[in-house]
Amino acid sequence: MVLWGFRWLKLFLNPYANNDFEHISESDRRSYILGRLEGADFSEWSWVVVVAGVGFFTDAYSIFAINMVMPMIDIIYYDGKMPHNYGIAVGVVTLGGSIIGQIGFGLAADIWGRRKMYGLELIITIGATIGVVMSSNGTYGSMSIIVSLLVWRFILGIGIGADYPLSAVICSEFAPTRLRGKMLTLVFACQPLGQLAATLVSLIAIVRQRNGIPSDSMAHTKGSDQQCNEECKRTLDSVWRWIIGVGVIPAVIALWFRLTIIESPRYTADVGQDSKKAASELHRYLLMQAQPVVATSTSVNVIPENVASRRRTSSGAISGAMSDESGQVSRSPSPRSINRVELPGEDAVVKDQPQEIVHAFSLPPPSGASDNGQFFHNLSSTQHGTGTVMSPFEGHDPFSQHVEQPMQNVAPPPPSWKDFKQYFWHDGNLRTLMATSLCWFYLDLPFYGLGMNSPTILSTIWYGKSDPPSQIYTLLIHDVWQSLVVVSLGALIGCAITFVAIDRLGRRNIQMIGFFWLFILFVIIGGSFYHLYEIGGSAATIVLYILCQIFFNFGPNTTTYIMPAELFPTRYRGLCHGISAAFGKLGSVVAQLFLAYINYGDHIDYNRIEKWLPYSLLIFSIFMLLGLITTIRWIPGQEHGPDGSVKTLEQWEVGRETPNGFSTTWTARRFEVFWKFLARLSMGVYLFVDDLAGGDARERREMERLDRENEEERERMRELDEVGRGRSGAEMGEVHEERGPSPFVNGSAHR
């Protein structure tokens, strides 16, 4: 993998060296890009999963490691009496930073490109993690560790949030269609793996330092104060810093590969409008045993190699892989040496000598190709070197059964505010964005609301009415084991099922299954929890909780991450994924605050977990039902083409069928009112702050308004003047008609 990083240095110094795509038409370059991505083999697409997954692993590790660490910080700095607000604040600021990172970096990835943002978020994560590790109370309380943690965790949240849209979008845009669902599932599976790693590292660190924790060290309980001497506190202080700091290691490893990745070819071609650069980078960057084939407007170029045959992907794209007659696989040859081409009916055939024939993969015809597959209309009259094209694709269209041809070769419109309004508002695709955002919001209410409080909740589920151990070492070990069994086990099983079923069942069906069973399970647990708690039925509660974790991940927790990376066009994909993810984190913030300060009356508050947890689960079940309804009503359902293959990104980005009347619906009108109110409110706040700061924003806006009104008035007067001149011309024409034609016109003046 190191070679990939050094390939980037060569590309950076001379991005157009040995450029073989200068003489190739726009539609053919786009065909090459899509065909090359579709034909990628294991060695070419697996590194995308590794690079994206390692960063996501680090993010999950950093988020959930705090669950293992906060009890230690409570023991070290607060003698087991940490104020309730402190723990809640640490979780909320991390999630709040994630919201900023998701929207900010998602938008930046669409404006400036994926590669310029990729790696920057890891730098933020690494720096913030080091800051967390170095937090302390200072000498004699000269500093506040909780303030330091809040600042660094907020910055850490920005880096964590930024990774959501970047990793998902890059993985989606590099992935072959036949593997895109599985690749995104693997990347997302790094979240439970990161959570598992945080648990295992905590277990190893605590066991490794057990000699530094005296056996008589006791945690704070209702009936006794904490007993932890200086040696005990010093050991735990070292342990929690090691637990957090280890999360930097995978981030540092992944950083180089993120900084050296090429720009997404789809972004370069669609948003950057530079298909030549996209094709050149893709051709030179991917690992190859040989060089790829490319079709041009004057020839189809290959180096004479062993006889090879085509390989078709599940989406219908023709891969660049070739195999000789003995079955040995090799990469398709280079576009640099082209001699003679023959393209008869079934396969593209390339001749270097009359006796030598090579079968090369054929690219899809451009959007303007005729129905009979006529392609490269000028090929038959064009010579290239010593070879002559003998015939085009006569009666053969290799993509006709699998890929809609116009989508593959026509460049989409460049991003603009006009196009943004047309696509989301008038074409009705705002409904899809609202669906992905709301479903993520509904999901994260219970997922992070319960997950960020997992030590206390799991302890209540695990022990029931029995008292947890008070010996510090035993207590910490039990916390780790509970998280390992209840949370990590169920999450990994759920991700494994999703990986197998993602293309068979489809994203939408998996999300509906997950929401449905979570609704049922929350109702069952909420209705039976207190009874099981009273009779000591912890085993049944643990099984039900593990089932919840399974259906979180074999369900909306995975699909809400995958679908925004597929459903939207390249030019807005990063922003849409960022908005959807930000709604999820907003839900987690709401849940954290709700569970922290809710009071159901009769002393049922956060101090009585066995009392408030059942009520909270019943409330969360309502949101699971709303998620199910939203998925059924608003998530696009047709995930496969007519032939049964998974849709390509180019097919998804077309959006909903138009016209669909979305902009006239009740929901759309209410959203428009809300949007305008929000815009006016934001502008009012901005102008108020600007006035306080002595700015002139209000005057400048007033001058701009007057300039617009004057311009509109001039335009109106210009139109009236043109209308007046038109009427005058018409009247003059009528007068000339009455007088008859001029004698100079009909020639009577010469008689």
Side-chain angles (χ1 to χ4, degrees), residues 697-712:
R698 192 181 299 275
E699 290 77 6
R700 285 189 282 105
R701 283 180 55 83
E702 184 66 21
M703 293 178 62
E704 291 173 0
R705 185 185 65 80
L706 293 175
D707 290 340
R708 285 196 302 270
E709 291 179 354
N710 292 335
E711 182 63 29
E712 291 172 0

Side-chain angles (χ1 to χ4, degrees), residues 20-21 23-25 28-29 32 292-303 334-343 348-351 360-363 375-393:
D20 302 301
F21 298 88
H23 59 292
I24 301 173
S25 67
D28 297 346
R29 286 196 292 260
Y32 167 77
V293 66
V294 64
T296 77
S297 58
T298 58
S299 61
V300 176
N301 304 338
V302 294
I303 293 177
S334 170
R336 282 194 281 276
S337 48
I338 310 104
N339 293 320
R340 191 167 302 154
V341 180
E342 185 179 54
L343 304 171
V349 179
V350 182
K351 291 185 177 181
F361 83 96
S362 52
L363 296 174
F375 190 22
F376 304 151
H377 61 84
N378 60 338
L379 288 181
S380 59
S381 60
T382 306
Q383 291 187 348
H384 186 81
T386 60
T388 303
V389 175
M390 301 177 64
S391 63
F393 293 102

Side-chain angles (χ1 to χ4, degrees), residues 70-120:
M70 288 306 292
M72 301 182 197
I73 293 177
D74 185 15
I75 293 171
I76 299 166
Y77 298 100
Y78 298 97
D79 293 328
K81 302 175 184 178
M82 177 188 289
H84 177 65
N85 295 340
Y86 287 6
I88 297 301
V90 170
V92 168
V93 297
T94 306
L95 298 171
S98 296
I99 295 175
I100 296 174
Q102 286 161 344
I103 296 179
F105 276 78
L107 177 61
D110 285 341
I111 296 176
W112 293 296
R114 284 76 163 114
R115 189 179 73 83
K116 292 181 180 179
M117 298 297 109
Y118 214 39
L120 179 59

Side-chain angles (χ1 to χ4, degrees), residues 133-211:
V133 171
M134 297 175 66
S135 298
S136 73
N137 269 339
T139 304
Y140 300 108
S142 61
M143 299 170 59
S144 172
I145 187 172
I146 196 65
V147 172
S148 180
L149 286 175
L150 291 176
V151 171
W152 288 114
R153 289 288 294 185
F154 177 77
I155 299 173
L156 177 65
I158 295 175
I160 291 173
D163 200 51
Y164 276 74
L166 291 175
S167 290
V169 166
I170 285 181
C171 182
S172 175
E173 292 177 356
F174 271 100
T177 301
R178 70 188 188 278
L179 298 170
R180 191 177 63 240
K182 286 182 167 58
M183 288 175 63
L184 286 167
T185 303
L186 284 176
V187 172
F188 186 80
C190 291
Q191 183 184 77
L193 286 175
Q195 190 172 2
L196 174 64
T199 306
L200 292 177
V201 170
S202 301
L203 179 63
I204 294 171
I206 294 171
V207 172
R208 178 68 180 80
Q209 297 291 330
R210 64 180 303 173
N211 293 332

